[in-house]
Amino acid sequence: MAKKLKPTLVIAGPGAGKTHYIIEKVINKLPLLEPHRFLAVITYTNSATNEIRERLNEKMVIPPNVFIGTIHSFLVRFILKPFGVVQGVLPEQVVYKDVSIKANDRKEENIIKSNIVKKGIVPYEKIVSLSSNLLKENKKIRELVSQRLQFLFVDEFQDANSGQFNIFEEVRKASATEMYFVGDPEQSIMTFQNQGSQIQTLDKRPIYKAINSGTIDKEYLDSNNRSSSTIIDFINNFHTSIIQQKTNKDNNTNNKVTFISDTYDLREIINSFNSICNDRTICENNPSTRFFLGYRRSTFKTVENEYGLVQKDDSDSNSIQLLKECSTFICEILNRSRTSIMEDLETDDLAYRQLCFKLVESIKSNPFINSSEIISLLKTNFKCDPYKSVHKKVQHNPDHIAEGFINKINLELQYSSSIKEIKDYHLTIHKSKGLQADAVLVIAKSKNELKKWLEIDKQLRFEDKQDTCRVGYVAFSRAKELLCIACLEEIDDELKKNLTLLNVDMIPAMGEKEKQPI
Ligand SMILES: Nc1ncnc2c1ncn2[C@@H]1O[C@H](COP(=O)(O)OP(=O)(O)OP(=O)(O)O)[C@@H](O)[C@H]1O
């Protein structure tokens, strides 16, 4: 009998090169990939998908039986498309979209969701449960999926929720897929996914279930190719499963982790951070990239123009991406699948793309175009009514969807022209995941938030359902050479003592008068 395939869980901290690891592994496995089977890499963000694709592309022509994409696109392609219609859980034509439902309770919401699925509108969050049910209830489907998948890689595994983990478990049980999960439990910040009552303490989350599972092999990567030794020593205080070693030989800076003290004023904090960056007695090298991080988007919003900070957003600005955005917008606003729109218009794929291109061009040529103008263009070109709703309790606001689309395209166009010159970004800590900068300023909005960020008691970190302590960890670990921390509220002596025990330097803020250039 063939040896049972055990998945491997690779636990790796920040800067360990998780993407690098996956790319190397994929390259090693490709010669073994059978032509009728697939190698799939599941990522959690579009930027990670693009990075893996680009980096593989540099080394080879990516074979057609390699899939790289988000968990939702993976489930649609490998489970819902091939088995959803034949099993009668989905109609022939479907559109997958974000849906907002005004229901009185959870039960009514679920009934509405099931009703609209029958009409071909599949809310994103249903993708996981529909796929999971198909696998769980049908052994044959499990086997077929596993036979089709020779290799499965999951990046950012700490972000997999229980529903997704159950799917990987079903595939594992079918025993034909070699699986690798790569992640960092300390960067598990699930509260962001809006999972409400489903939020669990860290030890109950899938990555910990996997760590404690006898059916999964474990590997630990303890290198950090990103940060200086002072920053690594600092973040090592917090990690619940790894003590990292510095491996980046080119990063020899020894800047101390710094707390900007004696001020709670945002402008004073920013001025002080910039002056530390410019002071060669404190910051050895001139940082060429700087991140300004806060929990909320609004933290730096009021000062972004004053300091020339740019809000960093997920975007990729090539024309294929723009066309994809446009097609998603059209399906979403019309509540129809791409295929059914094309069938009604009696056009082919090329003509459909030309129509999409027309919409993008209309925004390019007039950035001030408004939602009603876009909707009117859409009605003329696609001969459909965007105001037709699918269910009276499912919110459908075409003007809002159109505004979102116009903003997105404008942002991407603007981003593509400015990306090369901009070096200073302000972003939420959640958005900074996976990214890095030479110098990082992290601002806590309150002393309680800061206190949680600095928590070193492993048990309390485990129990933090809100993930506040891990959000701090993600922020701290973005820094390559200089890490500065500040707080918008006065901190007490206990916190000061904690900072000192963590070997953090306290540097008093400079006054408003001495405003520093970036
Ligand atoms: N094996 C390696 N050799 C040299 N440099 C590497 C290696 N792996 C990664 N790096 C570099 O180290 C830095 C951090 O890597 P990367 O961003 O891939 O880490 P990560 O594990 O994804 O971190 P995070 O969890 O914070 O997202 C990058 O500048 C990357 O180019």
Side-chain angles (χ1 to χ4, degrees):
M1 207 177 99
K3 191 171 149 275
K4 269 218 163 185
L5 283 171
K6 254 191 175 187
T8 303
L9 168 65
V10 182
I11 309 274
K18 289 185 266 298
T19 316
H20 190 90
Y21 175 94
I22 289 183
I23 290 165
E24 289 298 301
K25 263 278 186 287
V26 168
I27 291 171
N28 287 340
K29 296 295 177 191
L30 278 176
L32 307 173
L33 182 63
E34 296 162 33
H36 62 287
R37 301 187 74 193
F38 272 82
L39 181 152
V41 185
I42 295 177
T43 61
Y44 278 82
T45 58
N46 290 327
S47 48
T49 306
N50 292 341
E51 191 188 341
I52 293 177
R53 197 169 282 138
E54 271 166 28
R55 278 164 63 177
L56 273 180
N57 244 332
E58 281 165 17
K59 304 203 176 191
M60 65 177 68
V61 176
I62 302 177
N65 54 342
V66 168
F67 166 94
I68 307 163
T70 60
I71 178 82
H72 290 111
S73 56
F74 169 80
L75 296 175
V76 169
R77 165 108 180 246
F78 288 90
I79 301 177
L80 294 185
K81 260 200 184 146
F83 305 109
V85 180
V86 281
Q87 292 295 315
V89 294
L90 288 179
E92 285 273 351
Q93 298 295 339
V94 287
V95 50
Y96 299 95
K97 61 181 274 186
D98 231 349
V99 179
S100 147
I101 298 171
K102 260 195 188 159
N104 295 323
D105 52 35
R106 209 48 192 248
K107 195 172 158 207
E108 190 192 13
E109 188 179 326
N110 285 336
I111 295 172
I112 296 172
K113 275 185 193 159
S114 303
N115 279 338
I116 62 174
V117 167
K118 284 184 201 133
K119 292 183 185 174
I121 314 290
V122 184
Y124 281 136
E125 64 268 26
K126 284 291 277 185
I127 295 177
V128 173
S129 56
L130 288 169
S131 309
S132 180
N133 290 345
L134 278 171
L135 289 182
K136 221 184 276 168
E137 287 160 14
N138 199 319
K139 184 166 177 244
K140 192 76 205 148
I141 296 182
R142 246 178 357 243
E143 284 169 359
L144 285 170
V145 170
S146 178
Q147 274 155 21
R148 205 160 164 235
L149 284 170
Q150 189 176 352
F151 299 102
L152 177 64
F153 293 85
V154 184
D155 195 8
E156 306 272 10
F157 184 66
Q158 73 280 353
D159 290 338
N161 62 27
S162 301
Q164 294 161 9
F165 183 61
N166 291 341
I167 290 171
F168 302 140
E169 274 292 277
E170 296 299 338
V171 176
R172 178 187 68 78
K173 284 182 208 156
S175 298
T177 309
E178 195 173 322
M179 296 160 88
Y180 294 86
F181 308 136
V182 183
D184 179 8
E186 211 53 52
Q187 294 184 64
S188 168
I189 44 180
M190 301 174 85
T191 41
F192 188 55
Q193 295 177 15
N194 225 349
Q195 299 191 6
S197 57
Q198 285 181 37
I199 300 170
Q200 305 133 324
T201 52
L202 190 58
D203 50 338
K204 306 254 169 35
R205 294 185 192 172
I207 189 156
Y208 264 91
K209 280 193 199 152
I211 289 176
N212 296 323
S213 158
T215 54
I216 297 176
D217 284 333
K218 265 75 66 182
E219 234 181 73
Y220 288 83
L221 299 185
D222 67 356
S223 52
N224 184 323
N225 292 297
R226 173 180 298 147
S227 306
S228 67
S229 47
T230 43
I231 295 170
I232 295 173
D233 287 346
F234 176 69
I235 60 176
N236 273 341
N237 286 301
F238 310 115
H239 207 290
T240 39
S241 29
I242 288 182
I243 296 292
Q244 290 193 306
Q245 314 294 330
K246 175 175 167 286
T247 40
N248 182 352
K249 292 194 178 64
D250 299 330
N251 184 344
N252 292 315
T253 48
N254 268 312
N255 307 319
K256 288 194 82 177
V257 176
T258 300
F259 184 80
I260 300 170
S261 65
D262 302 339
T263 185
Y264 328 106
D265 177 87
L266 182 61
R267 287 180 176 79
E268 279 188 17
I269 292 171
I270 295 178
N271 285 339
S272 302
F273 173 64
N274 289 332
S275 86
I276 292 169
C277 288
N278 293 338
D279 186 339
R280 290 294 144 266
T281 62
I282 311 178
C283 179
E284 294 168 26
N285 303 324
N286 186 22
S288 59
T289 51
R290 296 177 212 195
F291 278 174
F292 297 76
L293 304 181
Y295 182 78
R296 281 176 209 288
R297 208 182 196 161
S298 55
T299 313
F300 296 95
K301 199 80 195 152
T302 49
V303 295
E304 63 179 359
N305 292 336
E306 204 175 319
Y307 287 94
L309 306 178
V310 168
Q311 187 172 307
K312 192 162 167 52
D313 240 312
D314 272 353
S315 44
D316 188 327
S317 50
N318 61 39
S319 47
I320 294 174
Q321 185 71 21
L322 293 177
L323 284 184
K324 262 197 206 157
E325 294 284 2
C326 188
S327 182
T328 307
F329 158 69
I330 290 161
C331 296
E332 214 175 291
I333 200 165
L334 298 177
N335 284 314
R336 309 265 312 268
S337 75
R338 177 188 166 110
T339 321
S340 88
I341 298 170
M342 286 194 317
E343 273 171 14
D344 271 13
L345 285 174
E346 292 176 4
T347 87
D348 59 6
D349 199 51
L350 184 65
Y352 175 84
R353 272 188 282 163
Q354 281 167 336
L355 288 177
C356 290
F357 206 65
K358 248 188 178 171
L359 285 193
V360 173
E361 282 299 310
S362 64
I363 301 176
K364 247 188 196 172
S365 59
N366 174 15
F368 303 105
I369 195 165
N370 62 30
S371 54
S372 42
E373 287 166 312
I374 274 284
I375 288 178
S376 144
L377 271 172
L378 184 93
K379 279 183 176 166
T380 325
N381 287 304
F382 289 86
K383 304 190 177 32
C384 272
D385 178 9
Y387 289 95
K388 207 170 138 202
S389 107
V390 279
H391 187 293
K392 61 181 185 309
K393 290 211 169 183
V394 174
Q395 292 185 15
H396 182 59
N397 185 340
D399 292 279
H400 185 71
I401 300 175
E403 265 163 39
F405 172 64
I406 295 168
N407 287 343
K408 212 167 198 175
I409 299 294
N410 270 330
L411 187 80
E412 291 199 4
L413 294 171
Q414 178 199 340
Y415 187 78
S416 68
S417 57
S418 59
I419 185 77
K420 287 176 189 70
E421 298 120 54
I422 291 156
K423 293 173 184 140
D424 297 321
Y425 291 107
H426 76 90
L427 58 170
T428 62
I429 297 173
H430 283 91
K431 283 253 184 237
S432 76
K433 238 176 135 187
L435 305 175
Q436 58 186 14
D438 291 338
V440 173
L441 168 65
V442 195
I443 301 191
K445 67 175 184 311
S446 68
K447 63 173 188 297
N448 282 340
E449 182 174 49
L450 181 61
K451 197 170 158 216
K452 288 215 167 135
W453 286 357
L454 301 177
E455 184 57 68
I456 54 169
D457 183 317
K458 307 258 185 296
Q459 191 55 34
L460 291 177
R461 293 184 77 86
F462 266 121
E463 287 165 9
D464 175 13
K465 282 192 183 181
Q466 297 306 315
D467 288 329
T468 314
C469 56
R470 281 174 287 283
V471 165
Y473 182 82
V474 169
F476 299 154
S477 57
R478 301 305 95 204
K480 289 164 85 174
E481 300 190 352
L482 175 70
L483 170 62
C484 288
I485 306 165
C487 184
L488 295 175
E489 209 176 80
E490 182 169 7
I491 64 164
D492 51 30
D493 288 344
E494 194 194 330
L495 255 177
K496 281 184 193 153
K497 204 171 122 201
N498 284 353
L499 285 162
T500 315
L501 285 173
L502 290 164
N503 210 13
V504 173
D505 239 15
M506 308 284 260
I507 297 192
M510 52 187 288
E512 173 74 279
K513 293 188 291 306
E514 309 153 69
K515 183 164 175 165
Q516 283 283 317
I518 288 196

